[in-house]
Amino acid sequence: MADFLDDICKRLDGAHLLSQEAQVHGFIDSGSYALNKIISGDYLGGFPVGGITEIYGESSTAKTVFLTHAFVGAQKKGYYTVMVDNEHAYSPSFAQVLGVDPEKLIYSMPETMEDCFETIEKVILAIREKDKDTPIVIGYDSIGVSPTRKEMAGDLGNNSEISGALRAKVAGQCLRRINPLLRKHKAALIIINQVRSKVGLVFGDPRTKAGGGKALLYYCAVSLEAASSKSDVIYDDVKNPLGIKGTVKCVKNKVTVPYQNCEFKLLYNEGLTRNCGLTLSAYKNGFVTMPSKGWYSLDGDTKFRAADLTKALAEMIEEGTIK
């Protein structure tokens, strides 16, 4: 039976058995054990190579920081990294603080949404002409501010062509073209999106994504919602801001179980705190039991204080004892 089916596949252009198909071509470290877990189901996993990951949220919720940590993880593995910056606001100095090597990051600032996706397609094909196998990690920041070509060509005072329907249509066309290339060419596309408020809404949720339509949610393999608030700002003893805390919720996932969430902590001079949220994540996944008289139980036997537990968990993750 298997030989017969294999023979049929050989007669069909580009066909093969499903058992020979890789869903993803590896993962890229996100900079956080807990975030890796909710994205890929593995503490040493992360963003999937071969599909689209969307990160959306309000302003100042560390969206670009998550993308930058993906570049750091990719460069450590020797992958190609590409930044498509439509916001024109990516900071080279902050990227270096987080560990990005600017000499290994291809950087482009296209004007329109169509130009952004054309740049992504061209860079994938250009790299594959020289290198057939090394994965490519591309960040697009952000689809929420990308104007269409019709918007750029029109008069600012004439809003007839500047509509959500137009942006949604363009986004859908671009995603239909780019999505098949990602798995075929071992590329990961991480798209930043923004959340805005609907004007004049009385009932229901006023929040809406700024990217235009629902096309991105349908095409992405993973969709992450980042959230933080003013009460989550971290201060030192004299009220100088040091960073923020927040949560990430996985609202769609084709790699592992969706609708999981985790905590994150961002320090402005360091980046994401790798161990933040690890204790709660380990408890949710059955590796840790709730504390008794201030002691946590690991593996049902070993006892740890909270400060020592995350260190022990991190060591077990790196050793491969827990995943």
Side-chain angles (χ1 to χ4, degrees):
M1 181 69 170
D3 292 339
F4 173 68
L5 294 177
D6 188 50
D7 181 62
I8 292 176
C9 290
K10 290 178 181 178
R11 299 183 186 188
L12 300 174
D13 185 25
H16 53 270
L17 296 175
L18 181 61
S19 59
Q20 301 168 339
E21 179 70 18
Q23 183 183 4
V24 296
H25 299 284
F27 299 95
I28 309 143
D29 181 33
S30 69
S32 164
Y33 288 129
L35 184 55
N36 285 347
K37 184 69 172 178
I38 69 169
I39 296 173
S40 63
D42 190 326
Y43 287 113
L44 293 179
F47 299 108
V49 177
I52 298 172
T53 298
E54 177 193 25
I55 305 173
Y56 71 93
E58 306 279 355
S59 62
S60 299
T61 51
K63 301 183 297 296
T64 304
V65 174
F66 296 135
L67 172 57
T68 302
H69 274 283
F71 289 150
V72 175
Q75 289 184 350
K76 286 180 179 178
K77 290 187 173 184
Y79 296 171
Y80 295 100
T81 51
V82 183
M83 179 62 173
V84 178
D85 181 16
N86 196 244
E87 288 191 351
H88 300 183
Y90 193 61
S91 170
S93 58
F94 188 62
Q96 286 184 275
V97 167
L98 300 190
V100 172
D101 183 350
E103 296 293 328
K104 296 179 181 178
L105 179 64
I106 300 172
Y107 184 72
S108 177
M109 294 188 295
E111 287 189 348
T112 67
M113 186 184 296
E114 294 94 330
D115 294 335
C116 288
F117 281 101
E118 285 180 4
T119 298
I120 292 167
E121 180 177 348
K122 287 177 181 178
V123 75
I124 290 173
L125 298 179
I127 290 173
R128 285 293 168 256
E129 287 182 1
K130 304 292 183 180
D131 186 335
K132 302 297 182 183
D133 295 315
T134 304
I136 307 165
V137 178
I138 304 168
Y140 176 6
D141 191 3
S142 71
I143 195 171
V145 302
S146 298
T148 64
R149 285 174 179 166
K150 284 189 176 181
E151 286 181 76
M152 290 295 289
D155 186 350
L156 287 176
N158 181 7
N159 294 322
S160 61
E161 289 293 344
I162 305 178
S163 66
L166 172 63
R167 289 171 53 77
K169 188 177 295 185
V170 172
Q173 291 171 346
C174 293
L175 289 164
R176 280 194 294 274
R177 182 180 177 93
I178 204 70
N179 193 52
L181 297 177
L182 300 177
R183 185 182 292 189
K184 179 180 179 181
H185 294 294
K186 297 182 181 180
L189 176 57
I190 302 173
I191 298 179
I192 304 298
N193 204 353
Q194 299 177 352
V195 171
R196 306 284 176 84
S197 295
K198 299 176 183 176
V199 178
L201 190 68
V202 179
F203 301 102
D205 189 351
R207 302 188 316 149
T208 182
K209 294 182 188 178
K214 295 183 178 180
L216 180 54
L217 183 60
Y218 283 108
Y219 281 104
C220 67
V222 177
S223 181
L224 304 171
E225 180 181 12
S228 184
S229 67
K230 292 181 179 179
S231 62
D232 292 322
V233 178
I234 304 169
Y235 295 97
D236 64 11
D237 295 337
V238 291
K239 293 298 181 180
N240 290 317
L242 300 177
I244 60 172
K245 295 183 294 182
T247 58
V248 177
K249 181 180 179 180
C250 188
V251 300
K252 179 184 178 181
N253 200 321
K254 291 185 177 180
V255 181
T256 188
V257 179
Y259 303 112
Q260 301 181 80
N261 57 69
C262 72
E263 300 172 342
F264 74 86
K265 181 167 72 173
L266 163 65
L267 298 178
Y268 297 134
N269 62 343
E270 297 178 14
L272 293 177
T273 301
R274 177 169 288 275
N275 291 348
C276 180
L278 182 53
T279 298
L280 181 58
S281 175
Y283 168 69
K284 290 179 179 179
N285 287 279
F287 300 119
V288 173
T289 58
M290 289 297 287
S292 175
K293 297 181 181 180
W295 292 89
Y296 288 85
S297 177
L298 183 59
D299 297 330
D301 184 24
T302 311
K303 305 291 185 180
F304 288 93
R305 291 292 188 185
D308 299 323
L309 179 62
T310 54
K311 182 179 179 181
L313 287 169
E315 290 175 354
M316 295 177 70
I317 289 170
E318 294 297 334
E319 291 170 357
T321 307
I322 59 176
K323 295 184 178 181

